[in-house]
Amino acid sequence: PRPSYFQRSYYKQMSKGISIFISIVIVLTVAGAFIFYFRSLTSPKSLVLILTEENLVNDLRQDLMTYQDDIKKDLNLQSQIKTIPSVATVKEVKKIFQEYYQQGNLQGVLLVGNIPAPKIYHPDYLNDPIFSSQGFALSDAVYQDIYNHCVYSSELDAYSYKNPGCGSTTIQSF
């Protein structure tokens, strides 16, 4: 038996209704995915730390704020200004790097002021005029060593070049 006119009309309306419903679901899904993707591009989740010597903050406040705004505008990253005492040690500065890194969002660090530079002892450079006569090189590799691979020697007051991740055997001057 052939369906009646009313049955055919009902099926057509149901089919049309289901098609419209599926279309709406697809549009909402695509719109939701687009909104989620757009937010992931525009919501800053990574951090640039601006580590500043405390006695410079007042004089550089406007410049630091401008830099902070530029980071937000140009890189879409959060930034935070953190001050450290003028007498901070390499170990104290490194601890700050580690604390921010462990929060999971540290993208980079800008050092402003007379931040102590870690020394790495390398015997091949004992008589190299670029470095001091004691064979020390200044290197930020120690600050990049979040997992403490760089071994500190209190006898030399420096880190060893031999440890992986601590400048290896190649030292580049700045």
Side-chain angles (χ1 to χ4, degrees):
R2 189 168 180 215
S4 71
Y5 172 77
F6 293 112
Q7 287 175 328
R8 284 191 307 245
S9 176
Y10 174 75
Y11 291 138
K12 282 183 182 180
Q13 287 179 349
M14 283 295 290
S15 175
K16 191 175 186 180
I18 290 173
S19 295
I20 291 171
F21 175 75
I22 290 173
S23 297
I24 291 172
V25 168
I26 290 172
V27 167
L28 291 176
T29 302
V30 169
F34 177 75
I35 290 169
F36 179 76
Y37 176 73
F38 183 73
R39 282 189 181 164
S40 72
L41 291 177
T42 59
S43 66
K45 44 191 164 194
S46 297
L47 176 74
V48 173
L49 180 63
I50 304 171
L51 198 58
T52 309
E53 189 179 0
E54 69 184 351
N55 61 355
L56 296 177
V57 171
N58 289 335
D59 294 338
L60 297 177
R61 182 166 310 280
Q62 187 58 45
D63 293 323
L64 292 171
M65 299 303 252
T66 300
Y67 192 76
Q68 204 172 20
D69 290 341
D70 289 345
I71 289 172
K72 171 78 171 161
K73 183 175 62 177
D74 297 340
L75 302 175
N76 194 32
L77 299 172
Q78 295 281 1
S79 61
Q80 181 179 344
I81 299 170
K82 179 160 180 67
T83 61
I84 61 169
S86 299
V87 293
T89 66
V90 169
K91 288 181 181 181
E92 292 168 337
V93 173
K94 184 175 177 177
K95 184 174 177 157
I96 293 169
F97 276 55
Q98 289 172 322
E99 288 170 357
Y100 278 88
Y101 180 80
Q102 290 169 357
Q103 293 174 8
N105 61 348
L106 185 62
Q107 188 70 26
V109 181
L110 173 69
L111 303 174
V112 179
N114 192 17
I115 309 297
K119 295 186 296 184
I120 294 182
Y121 177 75
H122 197 298
D124 291 349
Y125 293 97
L126 283 172
N127 297 317
D128 193 315
I130 296 174
F131 304 109
S132 71
S133 61
Q134 299 170 345
F136 294 114
L138 302 178
S139 174
D140 64 353
V142 173
Y143 288 143
Q144 297 171 31
D145 173 38
I146 300 301
Y147 301 109
N148 292 322
H149 295 291
C150 298
V151 177
Y152 178 76
S153 167
S154 55
E155 180 183 323
L156 294 172
D157 186 30
Y159 291 85
S160 172
Y161 74 98
K162 293 181 181 180
N163 306 101
C166 194
S168 68
T169 58
T170 304
I171 296 180
Q172 298 175 348
S173 60
F174 314 117

